[in-house]
Amino acid sequence: MAEPLQTRTRLEPDLRTRQPERRRGLGSEIWKHRYEYLAISPFYLLFAVFGLFPIAFSMYLSFQRWDGIGEMTFNGVNNYRFMLTDVEFWKAVGNTLLIWVYSTVPMLFSALVVAFLLNASFVKFRTFFRIGYFLPNVTSLVAVAIIFSTLFSNNYGLLNYILTQSGLNAVEWLNKTWGIQLAVSLMVVWRWVGYNAVIYLAGLQSIPTVLYEAAKIDGASGIQSFFRITVPILRPIILFTVITSTIGGMQIFTEPQVLVGNDGGVSGGGLTIVLYLYREAFVNNYFGYGAAVGWGMFVLIALFSIVNWKLVQGKSDT
Amino acid sequence: MAVTKWKSALLHTGLIAGFLLSIFPFYWLAVMSTRTTPEIYSYPPKLWFGTQLFDNISRVIANIDFFGAFMNTLFVASTCTVLVLFFDSLAGITFAKYHFPGKKGLFVLLLATMMAPAQLSLVPSFVIMAKFGWVGTYKALIIPGMVNAFGIFWIKQYAEESIPSELLDAGRIDGCGFFRLYWNISLPILRPALSFLGAFTFIGVWNDYLWPLIILTDESKFTLQVALSSLNGIYTTDYSMVIAGTLLAVLPLILLFLFISKQFISDIAAGAVKS
């Protein structure tokens, strides 16, 4: 007797509540899934406060003149006008682009070569090599910049020692625009070759070996199959690395800041866009102007990402 | 692939050369941290280890609160990592295994936030922190970073494949509530994905520089990277000490990485190729 009663009491409330719930519609649907919404809500709350709001606020701020403490005063487009006419800003843009080119091209090329070698079946100790190549990537940039400053030191650096030993003249690396840019680029290359190689390697491992065997039967050389098989199949992954290196390259800050200071060195060769933004906003306290520079930078990054996308994508049509 | 001995030797040589270039700066760092400042500035450079390591390290400890900075960094990085693991996995599992109205749209929104450019929010984020009164506190470092879109995406991908829905149903029949399904059933299955996300987050926070540099005002609260850069900026005459400090700051992370490297590297690769 107890059993049917129990099933009835267990079912009935369910039936009773389900009916009106349908009528109440979305509200009750949401209530029914309250735990799910609760579980995902931290992300959206935090994004609203620390992601979305700052972006909107930075737009507002970029039209203000503000030192961070006193009154904000409306400044119209003057921040932008100043930015576009400021020699230092354009210098920072130029420096950033040069460092990006100097670093990205050799970095991605070396990464591809390293990945290709690590993928060859006859190569031994592959895991060991992968770990060694990846190690620079987990090292802090501050430490890397300090280490590189001793390699590039004007008077006592290892590089100058090697130069003078081979009968050449020592170079004042950190007093020259191109010297600073070379040092920063080398830091980037050193730190990211292994990372990109690992990503390329994963792509390479997904290419069926049959393709290479077929090419070989057709008489293709190693280099031919590299450019005709490997590169085309890897194109989406190469695109990914180009885009991430562009975004990363446009945001270079720590390397020059630790290496040559807030002004980008004696010659200013290390003044990148983020370093410029940092200096104007947080050293000189031009907060409104800093926000405007942030938007300028955003436009540049978007522009370059699109150009890169088109370039790498465009190739696949031919 | 049949390869001639010559070719194999040549390629191995190339790989080894690149490998040596990769690890040389670490060797150089280690060598210099065992030398005195005059020796570092001497000519020709010393290429082999000296005897000053402990002396240099003791000066680091005497001049900056290295241990304090280390503990600060450890605190910030571990707190951030634990919170990221908790909130990301909670959200990731929910997106992977539950159905609720608006799920698809919310997930697209989540992916879209990854495009939000970080450099834009630098100044306003600082202003917000100032308004909250969080400047100079760890709240400013931890709270904005305690949940992120990448981690949620990563966990969702993994959870979709690895958590059987039948198992969750079985748990439900046994009377498990939402949180118990998460804590007792889903989390243990996600352990490999969590360990990668944890290591990734920990390394990222440990190495973070720009934001802590802006936020931290009080020397006693400096994280390792900020302390290290201030050491580098101030003590130019005692360079061997700066170098020894640098060594101390990178060593823990290198050891951590070597410990987890094999799995970590393949997870990086998997994540990049998938997305």
Side-chain angles (χ1 to χ4, degrees):
Chain A
M1 189 189 144
E3 263 192 19
L5 210 112
Q6 228 176 26
T7 40
R8 270 184 74 194
T9 46
R10 277 189 71 180
L11 274 174
E12 248 175 355
D14 232 314
L15 283 171
R16 227 180 277 151
T17 46
R18 200 180 286 160
Q19 280 311 103
E21 246 178 16
R22 275 210 190 118
R23 255 177 255 138
R24 270 186 277 139
L26 194 65
S28 72
E29 268 297 294
I30 289 173
W31 178 246
K32 212 168 83 190
H33 295 286
R34 60 191 179 279
Y35 291 115
E36 284 90 325
Y37 291 114
L38 203 62
I40 62 167
S41 61
F43 171 78
Y44 295 94
L45 287 175
L46 280 180
F47 181 73
V49 179
F50 299 111
L52 208 58
F53 179 68
I55 291 175
F57 189 42
S58 80
M59 188 42 112
Y60 173 78
L61 208 53
S62 72
F63 294 105
Q64 309 288 322
R65 177 199 286 271
W66 193 40
D67 62 0
I69 306 161
E71 287 282 301
M72 261 189 231
T73 47
F74 182 69
N75 203 16
V77 291
N78 280 334
N79 286 332
Y80 290 99
R81 193 177 291 157
F82 180 77
M83 178 175 81
L84 293 176
T85 53
D86 187 26
V87 183
E88 290 267 282
F89 172 74
W90 288 110
K91 196 168 151 186
V93 171
N95 289 340
T96 309
L97 293 183
L98 279 177
I99 292 170
W100 171 67
V101 172
Y102 293 159
S103 56
T104 306
V105 175
M107 173 185 78
L108 293 183
F109 182 74
S110 328
L112 201 53
V113 173
V114 169
F116 193 67
L117 291 178
L118 286 181
N119 194 40
S121 53
F122 60 86
V123 169
K124 298 188 175 67
F125 310 116
R126 278 186 267 184
T127 312
F128 180 72
F129 280 123
R130 278 205 306 174
I131 293 171
Y133 279 106
F134 199 88
L135 195 58
N137 196 250
V138 291
T139 317
S140 91
L141 275 172
V142 178
V144 173
I146 291 174
I147 301 171
F148 272 69
S149 71
T150 68
L151 294 176
F152 280 89
S153 161
N154 292 336
N155 301 316
Y156 310 101
L158 187 65
L159 229 65
N160 275 341
Y161 173 70
I162 296 170
L163 281 181
T164 48
Q165 282 306 99
S166 29
L168 298 164
N169 289 327
V171 177
E172 294 209 317
W173 301 102
L174 300 182
N175 287 345
K176 290 196 167 15
T177 301
W178 64 271
I180 295 170
Q181 288 169 356
L182 185 80
V184 170
S185 306
L186 267 177
M187 272 190 257
V188 177
V189 173
W190 178 73
R191 197 161 187 259
W192 291 96
V193 162
Y195 173 88
N196 287 297
V198 161
I199 289 172
Y200 288 150
L201 188 60
L204 285 175
Q205 282 166 350
S206 66
I207 302 175
T209 46
V210 196
L211 284 177
Y212 291 108
E213 281 156 19
K216 204 162 199 184
I217 291 167
D218 290 345
S221 70
I223 292 182
Q224 274 177 323
S225 53
F226 178 76
F227 282 106
R228 298 281 167 86
I229 300 173
T230 314
V231 174
I233 294 181
L234 280 188
R235 186 158 284 140
I237 295 172
I238 293 175
L239 180 69
F240 170 83
T241 58
V242 169
I243 297 288
T244 50
S245 331
T246 305
I247 295 171
M250 293 294 133
Q251 299 182 344
I252 283 185
F253 166 78
T254 311
E255 294 95 331
Q257 202 255 355
V258 177
L259 192 66
V260 287
N262 285 341
D263 289 317
V266 184
S267 65
L271 185 70
T272 58
I273 308 177
V274 182
L275 185 53
Y276 177 79
L277 192 163
Y278 170 79
R279 189 186 69 183
E280 297 302 313
F282 298 104
V283 180
N284 298 335
N285 289 331
Y286 301 137
F287 277 62
Y289 183 56
V293 175
W295 279 102
M297 203 177 140
F298 167 64
V299 171
L300 276 176
I301 290 182
L303 221 64
F304 275 91
S305 299
I306 293 168
V307 169
N308 279 324
W309 186 278
K310 290 271 178 225
L311 278 178
V312 183
Q313 284 287 59
K315 267 194 214 154
S316 60
D317 299 338
T318 54
Chain B
M1 242 192 282
V3 181
T4 61
K5 267 204 172 130
W6 268 106
K7 218 170 170 182
S8 164
L10 193 72
L11 295 180
H12 274 97
T13 311
L15 268 179
I16 291 167
F19 178 83
L20 291 178
L21 281 177
S22 273
I23 59 168
F24 177 75
F26 297 112
Y27 169 76
W28 183 237
L29 175 70
V31 166
M32 282 191 303
S33 60
T34 63
R35 293 286 179 177
T36 63
T37 303
E39 278 176 331
I40 291 176
Y41 287 147
S42 74
Y43 211 73
K46 304 278 183 286
L47 291 171
W48 190 248
F49 299 96
T51 54
Q52 300 298 308
L53 179 64
F54 293 104
D55 199 47
N56 289 334
I57 288 176
S58 60
R59 282 206 313 291
V60 174
I61 294 164
N63 277 302
I64 55 164
D65 183 11
F66 182 86
F67 189 68
F70 181 87
M71 292 311 284
N72 293 342
T73 316
L74 194 64
F75 169 74
V76 173
S78 343
T79 312
C80 234
T81 304
V82 169
L83 291 171
V84 162
L85 288 181
F86 178 72
F87 287 116
D88 280 5
S89 59
L90 201 56
I93 292 166
T94 306
F95 273 120
K97 288 289 156 191
Y98 290 85
H99 299 283
F100 50 92
K103 170 171 140 172
K104 221 173 171 182
L106 284 168
F107 192 69
V108 171
L109 181 67
L110 178 122
L111 292 182
T113 66
M114 286 207 253
M115 317 275 169
Q119 66 277 4
L120 279 186
S121 19
L122 201 57
V123 177
S125 295
F126 177 79
V127 175
I128 293 170
M129 293 305 165
K131 282 264 179 288
F132 286 179
W134 289 2
V135 172
T137 71
Y138 294 142
K139 278 183 231 164
L141 302 186
I142 294 168
I143 293 177
M146 68 186 197
V147 50
N148 61 62
F150 163 76
I152 295 175
F153 176 73
W154 172 261
I155 297 285
K156 182 203 172 234
Q157 298 291 92
Y158 193 91
E160 258 168 3
E161 288 165 25
S162 64
I163 302 176
S165 299
E166 294 79 11
L167 195 64
L168 294 178
D169 288 337
R172 247 173 236 128
I173 290 166
D174 288 346
C176 283
F178 185 85
F179 194 76
R180 282 203 59 171
L181 286 177
Y182 160 75
W183 191 258
N184 292 0
I185 296 179
S186 306
L187 269 196
I189 300 175
L190 288 178
R191 193 166 292 158
L194 290 172
S195 59
F196 169 71
L197 182 61
F200 185 83
T201 310
F202 191 87
I203 292 172
V205 180
W206 185 282
N207 286 337
D208 203 7
Y209 176 59
L210 179 54
W211 186 237
L213 176 72
I214 292 170
I215 284 297
L216 299 177
T217 45
D218 183 2
E219 218 168 290
S220 69
K221 292 208 165 157
F222 277 3
T223 56
L224 265 180
Q225 308 309 330
V226 181
L228 193 58
S229 97
S230 75
L231 192 69
N232 184 44
I234 298 165
Y235 297 97
T236 42
T237 50
D238 193 353
Y239 212 65
S240 61
M241 179 184 75
V242 175
I243 296 294
T246 310
L247 181 77
L248 288 182
V250 296
L251 215 53
L253 215 54
I254 290 179
L255 293 178
L256 170 77
F257 169 72
L258 289 179
F259 191 62
I260 56 164
S261 52
K262 212 175 157 184
Q263 191 56 42
F264 188 76
I265 290 175
S266 31
D267 283 336
I268 284 261
V273 173
K274 245 185 222 164
S275 59

